């Protein structure tokens, strides 16, 4: 087949896909063998459609083509066989064995015998190699990863895994061009030619009047179907026609009217919503009004034989239908009033100076500035907290923790979810257009709506169980002057609610994947909602029950958010796909095509890149640890800033309405406020007025939003920032209560006052905490290693004598979740065989050994060593599955590769690191860089690096791609301290996978991993209080640190400042003759305030704060708002000195 014929097949595939002929698409893919659709293959495997899987594969390869193909078919058939066994369907299993698996007996007869033997077992998991087999869904997922690797490595699939890059609707465009060319060749070209077939060339009959102008020079307006005819295939706009119930109403505004006379509506909030189009030339049909066709329109009717069929067809987002129907070489017309050719703006207009730092205390997920009071910032976090900040004075006016208001009225599913884990993350916070209410979307089912009356007066208004599962986004809208809230979620729906009473107005269904975001907007009298799903599909809806009006693909099939310019005339979007490719673009609404693509986003973004717009001037995005700015009229990045450092990979960003302030989230669970010159003046003005108010208030400070005081001040204050918001409008509550912002109640005590009375929380008595010593019937030997299972329902330890102990919590009435807790004692678990998991210690000196272990992600097996061979144990049976790598050198640390459980990084006694493949029993790489034994390893998926630490007090960073050393640094050992020769240095990554916690007997420190830049450090002054271990809490908000004197300190991770000390008298029995202290500490994987310690006497204690406290002490205030690098040196027994 010629290359052109091959390309034609791709054009046909694209056309069929756009027209939703899905089965035909996949048949053509298979029969042509040109393109292997990995997404379709994944869906078939995930759904267990095994016949379809093999049938599709047969178009590209056969079982005996090569070893890759053989392995692919074997894995598929083996999985099908195991699923039949798991369902106890032995008849089907035998059928698969004989018809499908028998083929492989000629290549490996022993393997076939072993597979056959599984039929005799009551549960095939009794086979050691299959003991880790989980549920069907998990097993299919694991197999799918293996299949994708095999397909990518198979030479028969080379050049068949990528679809060519084509402009959307390419075949339709070529046909339109052909028709236009034929029309130009007509001797008497007619306006609105009636093209009824593609089977013969087009010709126009003799006209009844004079010759029409050539289509090459005619203006392009969408063609109009004749009475009784069919709509043009190439004239589909975002909203499909609706039959008109009225006989002959007045014509509705067309696209030109939309673009020329846009509604002057301020941009209320940038909804994390999808991309959309304005109403096209058939906007009249949206309003159920017919339209009179223009008489001078010469564009062609590319008509089809079935209007209803075509109305329901969806097409990917891209080239507009108007553009498809254009005569050759005719560009889209421009419209008066739509010019944006203003001069480029200077970077001096951008808010880039850090003026305020806010310590939120948990990771920021969403932010929104108040639409009227421009220095009020609403914040939502990953633990469900919401806060309102007066950023001008750095004051937290409101803080509310996550709490379900009426649990009894919640659905059974929500109650079960909360019983399992009573936490939820905030996905979205947003103010209503007038700022009188705000909405919060949570990761679990519900939306909270609050009434805001200024200052710290935030009142509960409505709790709506909006969706099943995650509520991804929310936004406010005012169709027909009614305030509604729009939500979307994991259940693939969009819903519209009345804000006053919470009644549901509409439910929009049609997405095939969880809906990611919504964005309501309007032009003139037409109200609509755009939505986007995580599969990259974009839909648009009117406020009716007629279904979606469009079905497009976002650029790069990405999760997309959308924002209009503040005057509502320019549409921008930013999104990131699964491969980490990000796109930020402006759309040509009249065509539904990309108008310009802005340059400067990274190629491997972490998460979905967030962005915002301000006025009609600038775009901003958080990407690659930077804030990036663009002028709207220039595709090149205007500038970028790191905001003095400390930003996450993809920070949240948010302009205030005036664009003079910019909020950005930080790694340290804080927020930085950046300002331009006007913003700096505003912040300084508010600070000075707040200071003056505090001096004249006789010990009290006015609690109102400080911008309210500013707004009510003299006109001089207003002109100091260019007459922006010189007055403060009253805020009107939902119950009709109206209050002017300056008339708010006084604040008695603010955060700065609290800092004067803060003191360290000391826990000295058992009654001040919950503590549980785990029951133990085995020989008590000191605990060397300790870990929670990933499920959080068990604790595994390794003792000095190489024996493992496993405690499991049972699910019962007292402990309905079955998770580790202090209220119920666990069971020291042993299999019926009575065997123990014991490491190989033959020819091993235990005093010199550095015991280590690592647990698989599914908790099914543990890899462990105590100076001898490395052993792999089955966690269900305690059987030794295999041993490998006998010393010398001995293993000193083990870590599973985060993306492949078959790859293990092994730190060695001889200072090397082995990258070992378990499946093939082969050391792939040996890394050399340390001078003494390796004692710590930690992987980062985000940075794609391995960080190692050793007894040489050195840190090294290694690339996971080529296993090359990227950086190294020696720890700074405090003067006068001489660490023991066997001192271990350990490392653990923060939840953000960017910062790494380093633990040494002389210090705890936090480094930025890629460059090994020291960010924070805490050093005990006294050598007698050496650190034995430390670990981040599961949410990385706290650090639990154990000491040789028996105490356990809890630090705030963001500042590395001590907030709570648990003294040994609170959890250890008094025994003067025996010195007992914790050697290791472990944090619960889902409970941020629970941790366990392993002691020198062989005991294991689980500790939790009292319910009345809820956490370990109160975080100390951040001095001067500082969140940057710091170093603290303090004695372990002096709280005051530790905080210096």
């Amino acid at each position: 087949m010629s290359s052109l014929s091959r390309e034609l097949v791709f054009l046909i595939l694209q056309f069929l896909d756009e027209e939703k002929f899905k089965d035909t698409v996949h048949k053509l893919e298979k029969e042509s063998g040109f393109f292997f659709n990995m997404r379709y293959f994944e869906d078939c495997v995930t759904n267990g459609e095994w016949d379809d899987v093999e049938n599709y594969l047969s178009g590209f390869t056969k079982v005996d083509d090569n070893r890759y193909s053989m392995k692919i078919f074997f894995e598929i058939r083996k999985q099908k066989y195991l699923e039949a066994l798991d369902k106890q369907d032995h008849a089907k299993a035998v059928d698969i064995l004989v018809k499908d698996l028998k083929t492989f007996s000629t290549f490996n007869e022993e393997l076939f015998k072993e597979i056959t033997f599984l039929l005799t077992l009551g549960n095939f998991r009794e086979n050691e190699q299959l003991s880790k087999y989980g549920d069907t869904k998990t097993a299919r997922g694991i197999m799918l990863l293996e299949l994708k690797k095999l397909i990518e490595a198979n030479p028969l699939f080379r050049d068949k895994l990528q679809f060519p890059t084509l402009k959307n609707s390419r075949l339709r465009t070529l046909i339109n061009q052909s028709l236009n060319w034929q029309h130009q060749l007509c001797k008497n070209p007619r306006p609105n030619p009636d093209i009824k077939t593609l089977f013969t060339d087009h010709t126009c009959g003799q006209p009844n009047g004079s010759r029409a102008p050539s289509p090459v020079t005619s203006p392009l307006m969408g063609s109009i179907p004749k009475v009784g005819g069919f709509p043009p295939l190439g004239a589909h706009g975002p909203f499909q026609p609706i039959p008109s119930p009225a006989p002959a109403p007045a014509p509705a505004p067309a696209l030109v009217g939309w673009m020329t006379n846009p509604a002057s509506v301020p941009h209320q909030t940038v909804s994390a919503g999808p991309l959309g189009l304005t109403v096209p030339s058939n906007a009249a049909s949206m309003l159920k009004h017919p339209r009179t066709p223009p008489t001078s329109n010469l564009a062609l009717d590319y008509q089809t034989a079935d209007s209803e069929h075509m109305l329901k067809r969806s097409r990917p987002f891209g080239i507009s239908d108007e553009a498809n129907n254009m005569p050759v070489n005719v560009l889209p017309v421009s419209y008066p009033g739509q010019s944006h050719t203003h001069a480029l703006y200077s970077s001096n207009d951008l808010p880039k100076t850090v003026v305020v730092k806010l310590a939120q205390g948990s990771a920021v997920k969403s932010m929104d500035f108040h639409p009227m009071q421009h220095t009020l910032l609403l914040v939502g976090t990953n633990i469900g907290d919401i806060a309102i900040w007066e950023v001008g004075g750095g004051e937290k006016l409101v803080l509310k923790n996550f709490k379900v208001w009426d649990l009894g009225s919640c659905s059974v599913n929500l109650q079960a979810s909360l019983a399992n884990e009573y936490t939820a993350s905030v996905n979205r916070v947003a103010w209503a257009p007038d700022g009188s209410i705000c909405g919060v979307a949570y990761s679990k089912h519900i939306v909270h709506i609050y009434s805001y009356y200024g200052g710290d007066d935030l009142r509960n208004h409505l709790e709506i169980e909006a969706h099943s599962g995650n509520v991804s986004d929310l936004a406010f809208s005012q169709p027909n002057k009614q305030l509604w809230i729009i939500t979307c979620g994991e259940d693939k729906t969009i819903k519209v609610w009345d804000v006053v009473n919470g009644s549901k107005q509409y439910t929009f269904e049609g997405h095939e994947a969880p809906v990611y975001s919504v964005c309501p907007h309007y032009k003139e009298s037409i109200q609509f909602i755009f939505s986007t799903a995580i599969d990259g599909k974009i839909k648009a809806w009117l406020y009716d029950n007629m279904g979606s009006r469009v079905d497009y693909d976002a650029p790069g099939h990405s999760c997309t958010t959308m924002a209009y310019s503040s005057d509502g005339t320019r549409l921008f979007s930013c999104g990131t796909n699964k491969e980490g490719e990000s796109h930020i673009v402006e759309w040509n609404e009249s065509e539904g095509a990309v108008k310009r693509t802005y340059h400067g986003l990274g190629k491997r973004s972490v998460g979905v890149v967030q962005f915002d717009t301000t006025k009609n001037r600038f775009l901003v995005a958080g990407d690659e640890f930077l804030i990036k700015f663009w002028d709207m009229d220039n595709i090149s990045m205007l500038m970028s800033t790191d905001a003095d450092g400390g930003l996450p990979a993809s920070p949240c960003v948010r302009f205030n309405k005036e664009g003079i302030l910019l909020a950005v989230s930080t790694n340290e669970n804080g927020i930085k406020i950046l300002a331009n010159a006007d913003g700096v003046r505003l912040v300084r003005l508010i600070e000075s007025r707040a200071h003056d108010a505090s001096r004249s208030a006789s010990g009290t400070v006015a609690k109102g939003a400080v911008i309210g005081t500013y707004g009510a001040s003299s006109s001089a204050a207003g002109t100091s920032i260019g007459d922006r918001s010189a007055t403060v409008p009253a805020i009107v509550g939902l119950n009709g209560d109206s209050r002017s912002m300056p008339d708010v109640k006084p604040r008695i005590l603010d955060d700065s006052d609290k800092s004067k009375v803060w003191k360290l929380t000391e826990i000295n008595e058992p009654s001040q905490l919950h503590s549980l010593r785990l029951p133990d019937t085995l020989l008590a030997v000191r605990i060397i290693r300790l870990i929670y299972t990933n499920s959080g329902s068990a604790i595994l330890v390794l003792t000095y004598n190489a024996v493992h102990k496993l405690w499991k919590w049972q699910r019962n009435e007292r402990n309905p979740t079955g998770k580790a807790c202090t209220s119920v004692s666990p069971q020291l678990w042993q299999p019926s065989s009575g065997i123990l998991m014991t490491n190989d210690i033959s020819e091993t000196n235990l005093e010199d050994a550095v015991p280590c272990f690592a647990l698989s992600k599914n908790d099914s097996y543990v890899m462990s060593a105590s100076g001898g061979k490395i052993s792999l144990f089955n966690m269900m049976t305690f059987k030794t599955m295999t041993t490998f790598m006998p010393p010398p050198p001995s293993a000193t640390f083990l870590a599973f590769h985060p993306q492949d459980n078959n790859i293990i990084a092994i730190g060695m006694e001889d200072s090397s690191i082995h990258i070992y493949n378990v499946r093939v029993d082969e050391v792939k790489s040996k890394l050399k860089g340390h001078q003494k034994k390796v004692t710590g390893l930690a992987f980062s998926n985000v940075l794609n690096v391995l960080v190692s630490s050793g007894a040489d007090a050195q840190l090294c960073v290694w690339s996971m791609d080529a296993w090359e050393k990227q950086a190294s640094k020696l720890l700074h050992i405090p003067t006068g301290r001489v660490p023991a020769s066997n001192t271990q240095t350990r490392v653990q990554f923060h939840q953000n996978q960017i910062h790494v916690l380093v633990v040494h007997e002389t210090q705890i420190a936090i480094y930025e991993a890629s460059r090994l830049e020291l960010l924070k450090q805490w050093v005990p002054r006294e050598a007698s209080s050496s650190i034995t271990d430390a670990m981040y809490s599961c949410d990385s908000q706290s650090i639990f640190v154990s000491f040789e004197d028996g105490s356990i300190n809890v630090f705030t991770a963001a500042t590395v400042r001590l907030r709570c000390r648990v003294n040994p008298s609170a959890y250890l029995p008094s025994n003067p003759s025996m010195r007992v202290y914790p050697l290791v500490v472990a944090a619960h994987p889902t409970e941020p305030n629970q941790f366990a310690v392993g002691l020198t006497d062989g005991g294991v204690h689980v500790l939790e704060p009292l319910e009345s406290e809820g956490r370990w002490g109160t975080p100390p205030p951040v001095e001067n708002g500082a969140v940057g690098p710091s170093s603290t040196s303090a004695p372990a027994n002096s709280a005051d000195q530790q905080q210096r």
Side-chain angles (χ1 to χ4, degrees):
M1 182 178 286
S2 70
S3 61
L4 286 179
S5 297
R6 187 173 185 272
E7 290 180 1
L8 179 59
V9 172
F10 281 112
L11 293 179
I12 295 171
L13 283 172
Q14 183 196 41
F15 175 79
L16 292 172
D17 183 63
E18 291 170 352
E19 297 300 313
K20 302 300 181 184
F21 293 110
K22 296 299 184 184
D23 292 340
T24 308
V25 167
H26 303 314
K27 286 179 182 178
L28 181 55
E29 288 167 351
K30 173 203 164 188
E31 291 180 7
S32 68
F34 290 160
F35 173 61
F36 185 83
N37 191 326
M38 187 68 81
R39 181 178 294 182
Y40 170 69
F41 180 75
E42 290 176 5
D43 290 342
C44 290
V45 171
T46 302
N47 296 328
E49 297 165 351
W50 304 119
D51 291 343
D52 291 343
V53 168
E54 291 212 20
N55 183 47
Y56 189 67
L57 276 171
S58 67
F60 302 88
T61 184
K62 300 294 185 290
V63 174
D64 55 356
D65 278 347
N66 56 43
R67 60 191 179 95
Y68 298 104
S69 299
M70 184 181 297
K71 177 69 171 172
I72 290 169
F73 281 96
F74 174 74
E75 291 295 332
I76 292 169
R77 296 175 182 181
K78 182 185 72 174
Q79 179 63 28
K80 183 166 61 169
Y81 177 64
L82 293 178
E83 288 184 17
L85 290 177
D86 208 21
K87 295 176 181 176
Q88 301 298 313
D89 190 346
H90 284 78
K92 183 176 181 180
V94 170
D95 187 60
I96 296 169
L97 186 69
V98 174
K99 293 182 178 179
D100 296 334
L101 291 171
K102 180 70 174 176
T103 305
F104 303 100
S105 62
T106 57
F107 303 101
N108 192 332
E109 188 173 355
E110 289 301 317
L111 176 60
F112 182 74
K113 289 180 180 178
E114 188 173 358
I115 291 174
T116 305
F117 180 72
L118 296 179
L119 285 167
T120 66
L121 301 178
N123 185 341
F124 64 80
R125 294 174 180 82
E126 296 174 24
N127 181 293
E128 287 189 0
Q129 295 183 48
L130 296 173
S131 61
K132 61 179 181 295
Y133 184 97
D135 58 89
T136 298
K137 181 179 179 181
T138 303
R140 288 177 183 173
I142 294 171
M143 179 192 67
L144 185 57
L145 293 175
E146 182 71 16
L147 292 179
K148 290 172 71 175
K149 293 178 181 177
L150 291 168
I151 290 170
E152 290 167 357
N154 194 329
L156 294 177
F157 290 83
R158 190 168 299 146
D159 300 326
K160 297 181 180 181
L161 300 178
Q162 292 293 329
F163 198 84
T165 302
L166 303 175
K167 290 185 176 181
N168 290 343
S169 305
R170 179 61 182 160
L171 183 59
R172 184 180 287 108
T173 302
L174 292 175
I175 293 172
N176 278 325
Q177 289 173 350
S178 171
L179 291 173
N180 276 308
W181 180 251
Q182 293 173 34
H183 186 58
Q184 289 183 59
L185 296 178
C186 290
K187 294 181 178 179
N188 299 294
R190 279 192 327 196
N192 298 323
D194 189 8
I195 299 178
K196 294 182 178 180
T197 181
L198 297 178
F199 294 163
T200 59
D201 288 347
H202 161 71
T203 58
C204 290
Q206 277 298 116
N208 294 324
S210 60
R211 180 185 176 111
S214 167
V216 175
T217 59
S218 66
L220 182 69
M221 305 291 289
S223 61
I224 305 300
K226 297 176 176 58
V227 177
F230 301 103
L233 176 64
H236 293 211
F239 303 106
Q240 303 298 347
I242 300 171
S244 173
L255 176 64
V256 177
W258 271 41
M259 304 305 288
T260 309
N261 302 303
S264 57
V265 180
H267 178 49
Q268 60 183 54
T269 57
V270 180
S271 174
L275 174 64
L277 300 176
T278 60
V279 172
S281 55
N282 63 349
S285 61
M286 290 171 47
L287 300 176
K288 304 185 179 180
H289 295 312
R291 193 182 68 180
T292 303
T295 57
S296 61
N297 185 3
L298 298 182
L300 292 172
D301 274 352
Y302 179 178
Q303 300 193 356
T304 178
D306 186 350
S307 61
E308 283 301 308
H309 183 63
M310 285 311 304
L311 286 175
K312 295 177 181 178
R313 292 286 176 212
S314 59
R315 301 186 313 284
F317 199 101
I319 301 175
S320 72
D321 298 312
E322 289 88 353
N324 286 342
N325 277 336
M326 282 181 189
V328 180
N329 299 326
V330 176
L331 298 176
V333 300
S334 58
Y335 298 101
Q338 185 61 17
S339 173
H340 294 284
T341 56
H342 57 265
L344 300 184
Y345 289 98
S346 164
S347 62
N348 293 331
D349 297 317
L350 294 169
K352 56 187 178 180
T353 302
V354 178
V355 290
V356 179
K357 299 176 184 178
L358 311 175
Q360 177 62 41
S362 50
V364 174
K365 300 289 287 183
S366 179
M367 300 180 290
D368 195 19
F369 275 101
H370 196 280
M372 305 296 183
Q373 302 167 69
H374 302 158
T375 56
L376 281 189
L377 181 66
L378 177 64
V379 177
T381 76
N382 67 325
I383 60 173
D385 290 349
I386 64 166
I388 298 177
W389 289 86
E390 169 45 63
V391 301
E395 179 186 11
K396 188 186 292 182
L397 304 175
V398 176
L399 176 63
K400 287 186 178 287
N401 304 120
F402 174 74
K403 182 180 180 181
V404 177
W405 301 344
D406 187 2
L407 187 60
S409 64
C410 294
S411 67
V412 174
N413 288 340
L414 176 54
Q415 292 188 39
S417 176
L418 293 171
N420 185 50
E421 183 181 12
Y422 196 84
T423 58
S425 173
V426 172
N427 285 330
R428 179 78 162 137
V429 295
W431 290 104
D434 66 353
S436 64
I437 67 170
C438 61
V440 185
Y442 291 97
S443 61
K444 289 187 178 178
H445 299 251
I446 61 173
V447 166
H448 280 166
I449 300 176
Y450 294 90
S451 300
Y452 184 57
Y453 295 95
D456 63 351
D457 197 355
L458 185 69
R459 304 179 190 176
N460 297 357
H461 174 63
L462 280 176
E463 179 173 76
I464 302 173
E465 186 169 348
H467 296 271
S468 176
N470 187 52
V471 184
S472 309
D473 193 19
L474 62 79
F476 291 93
S477 181
Q478 292 180 296
N480 304 318
K481 299 184 179 179
Q482 294 175 289
L483 185 59
W484 287 348
I485 190 167
I486 300 153
T487 64
C488 64
E490 189 177 355
D491 58 7
K492 307 176 186 177
T493 65
I494 301 102
K495 298 181 182 180
V496 181
W497 313 83
D498 188 301
V499 168
V500 176
N501 56 29
S503 61
K504 184 166 63 177
Q505 305 298 310
Y506 296 100
T507 298
F508 300 131
E509 297 179 338
H511 278 290
E512 298 177 356
V515 186
Y516 179 70
S517 59
V518 290
C519 181
H521 197 64
Y522 76 90
K523 296 264 184 171
E524 293 193 355
S525 60
I526 302 173
Q527 306 269 354
F528 51 92
I529 304 167
F530 295 103
S531 64
T532 182
I534 63 173
D535 60 2
K537 289 292 183 183
I538 299 166
K539 294 181 182 291
W541 319 80
L542 295 178
Y543 291 91
D544 57 24
N545 295 308
M546 303 297 293
S548 68
R549 299 309 207 276
V550 301
D551 186 355
Y552 294 140
D553 287 324
H557 296 279
S558 57
C559 270
T560 301
T561 60
M562 185 193 73
Y564 277 90
S565 56
S566 58
D567 63 3
T569 62
R570 303 180 70 177
L571 177 63
F572 303 87
S573 73
C574 182
T576 305
N577 62 21
K578 294 179 181 178
E579 290 71 37
E581 296 175 346
S582 295
H583 310 267
I584 183 168
V585 300
E586 181 182 5
W587 295 93
N588 186 325
E589 288 189 278
S590 65
E591 296 183 22
V594 172
K595 182 177 181 179
R596 53 169 61 90
T597 299
Y598 297 92
H599 301 164
L601 288 181
K603 298 299 183 184
R604 293 185 60 180
S605 302
V606 178
V608 179
V609 170
Q610 297 196 28
F611 88 127
D612 199 4
T613 71
T614 181
K615 290 191 169 292
N616 307 308
R617 301 175 59 178
F618 298 118
L619 302 170
V620 65
D623 183 41
E624 294 183 311
F625 311 95
L626 298 170
I627 306 167
K628 299 179 178 180
F629 298 91
W630 290 264
D631 181 281
M632 287 181 176
D633 290 338
N634 192 331
I635 61 173
S636 298
M637 187 168 63
L638 185 58
M639 65 159 292
S640 65
T641 177
D642 66 357
D644 300 337
L647 302 184
S650 298
C652 299
V653 289
R654 194 68 172 168
F655 280 115
N656 76 339
K657 183 178 177 181
E658 292 295 319
I660 60 176
L661 298 177
L662 176 70
V664 59
S665 61
T666 71
N667 267 329
E668 306 297 341
N669 302 322
I671 302 161
K672 291 184 179 182
I673 304 299
L674 286 72
N676 63 12
D678 285 344
V680 171
R681 286 195 292 271
L682 173 61
V683 170
R684 297 294 177 252
L685 175 66
I686 293 172
E687 288 176 346
S688 64
R689 289 185 176 276
H691 178 67
D692 292 341
S694 66
R695 292 198 304 176
S696 61
S698 301
T700 63
V701 182
K703 178 66 176 182
V706 183
I707 186 64
T709 305
Y710 153 72
S713 63
S714 67
S715 60
T719 57
S720 67
I721 60 164
D723 293 328
R724 290 186 174 94
S725 300
T727 60
V728 177
I731 290 183
V732 181
L734 293 173
N735 58 3
D737 185 15
S738 178
R739 309 182 188 187
S740 179
M741 285 310 298
D743 299 328
V744 294
K745 61 185 181 181
R747 177 176 57 80
I748 304 303
L749 187 69
D750 69 3
D751 290 345
S752 61
D753 297 323
K754 293 175 184 176
S755 68
K756 300 173 184 175
V757 297
W758 179 89
K759 65 183 222 175
L760 175 70
T761 300
E762 292 266 8
I763 297 179
N764 300 305
E765 303 295 333
S767 61
Q768 293 178 277
L769 82 169
H770 293 306
S771 174
L772 174 67
R773 185 179 177 104
L774 306 190
D776 193 354
T777 57
L778 300 176
L779 180 65
V781 181
R782 73 175 179 261
I783 307 299
I784 305 298
R785 291 288 180 265
L786 167 70
I787 193 174
Y788 282 88
T789 57
N790 294 296
S791 66
S793 60
I795 286 178
L796 176 70
V797 303
L798 175 59
T799 62
Y800 171 76
N801 64 348
V803 174
H804 299 79
K805 297 179 183 180
L806 179 66
W807 286 270
K808 290 185 177 181
W809 274 260
Q810 303 300 313
R811 190 186 300 268
N812 53 43
E813 291 183 1
R814 294 183 59 197
N815 185 23
T817 66
K819 298 288 182 70
C821 62
T822 55
S823 58
V824 177
S825 290
Q827 174 188 0
L828 180 63
W829 200 83
Q830 283 185 281
S832 56
S833 63
I835 64 174
L836 298 174
M837 287 189 289
T838 306
N839 282 334
D840 167 48
I841 52 174
S842 56
E843 303 179 9
T844 299
N845 183 345
L846 289 177
E847 285 298 326
D848 295 334
V850 180
C852 53
F853 65 17
L855 190 62
S856 67
K857 294 183 182 69
N858 59 3
D859 297 333
S860 60
Y861 55 91
V862 63
M863 200 164 287
S864 183
S866 294
K869 297 177 183 177
I870 299 173
S871 300
L872 181 66
F873 296 101
N874 184 310
M875 286 279 282
M876 294 176 62
T877 64
F878 282 16
K879 291 181 180 178
T880 304
M881 299 171 67
T882 187
T883 59
F884 55 95
M885 297 193 75
S890 61
T892 54
F893 202 93
L894 300 167
F896 282 102
H897 193 288
Q899 297 156 2
D900 188 345
N901 258 351
N902 293 305
I903 304 296
I904 310 165
I906 307 174
M908 307 298 285
E909 187 181 29
D910 67 353
S911 77
S912 65
I913 301 168
H914 291 189
I915 307 302
Y916 177 75
N917 189 312
V918 179
R919 183 182 289 256
V920 298
D921 189 22
E922 180 182 345
V923 176
K924 294 294 186 180
S925 297
K926 288 186 180 181
L927 316 182
K928 296 184 181 292
H930 288 279
Q931 306 304 314
K932 294 183 179 180
K933 59 191 172 191
V934 177
T935 58
L937 296 168
F939 284 99
S940 168
N941 264 333
V942 171
L943 300 177
N944 202 37
V945 299
L946 169 68
V947 174
S948 62
S949 58
D952 55 0
Q954 183 182 199
L955 304 175
C956 294
V957 180
W958 312 86
S959 161
M960 285 165 56
D961 293 327
W963 299 114
E964 296 175 347
K965 186 162 71 171
Q966 294 182 338
S968 64
K969 181 171 288 189
L970 288 170
L971 296 183
H972 174 69
I973 306 300
T975 305
R977 296 293 300 272
V978 181
S981 59
N982 62 348
T983 294
Q984 299 182 30
T985 307
R986 297 182 192 168
V987 286
Q988 181 199 1
F989 267 100
H990 186 283
Q991 195 177 47
N992 62 18
Q993 294 278 293
I994 295 166
H995 294 165
V996 64
L997 172 67
V998 179
V999 184
H1000 188 265
E1001 71 172 34
T1002 65
Q1003 61 191 277
I1004 58 172
I1006 297 176
Y1007 286 81
E1008 193 284 316
S1010 62
R1011 301 187 302 272
L1012 291 180
E1013 176 188 353
L1014 178 62
L1015 303 177
K1016 303 282 182 184
Q1017 184 184 46
W1018 183 89
V1019 177
R1021 287 181 182 165
E1022 298 179 4
S1024 60
S1025 57
S1026 294
I1027 296 169
T1028 58
D1029 198 13
M1031 191 175 190
Y1032 274 123
S1033 61
C1034 63
D1035 60 1
S1036 298
Q1037 306 304 304
S1038 303
I1039 304 173
F1040 305 121
V1041 185
S1042 57
F1043 293 85
E1044 277 190 0
D1045 63 3
S1047 65
I1048 305 162
N1049 288 358
V1050 182
F1051 291 78
T1052 298
T1055 57
V1056 192
R1057 301 188 73 196
L1058 179 63
R1059 72 168 187 255
C1060 179
R1061 177 185 296 111
V1062 180
N1063 288 309
S1065 58
Y1067 73 101
L1068 294 177
S1070 177
N1071 188 346
S1073 64
M1074 188 174 181
R1075 181 170 174 256
V1076 178
Y1077 60 91
L1079 282 172
V1080 284
V1081 62
H1084 192 283
T1086 59
E1087 296 294 334
N1089 289 300
Q1090 184 188 127
F1091 62 91
V1093 290
L1095 306 177
T1096 53
D1097 68 351
V1100 176
H1101 284 252
V1102 177
L1103 290 87
E1104 293 179 301
L1106 297 175
E1107 289 87 350
S1108 59
E1109 299 295 331
R1111 59 181 179 178
W1112 297 103
T1114 303
V1118 179
E1119 296 177 359
N1120 299 324
V1123 292
S1126 65
S1127 178
T1128 307
S1129 177
N1133 59 0
S1134 171
D1136 294 335
Q1137 293 183 17
Q1138 275 180 316
Q1139 301 309 323
R1140 279 195 257 178

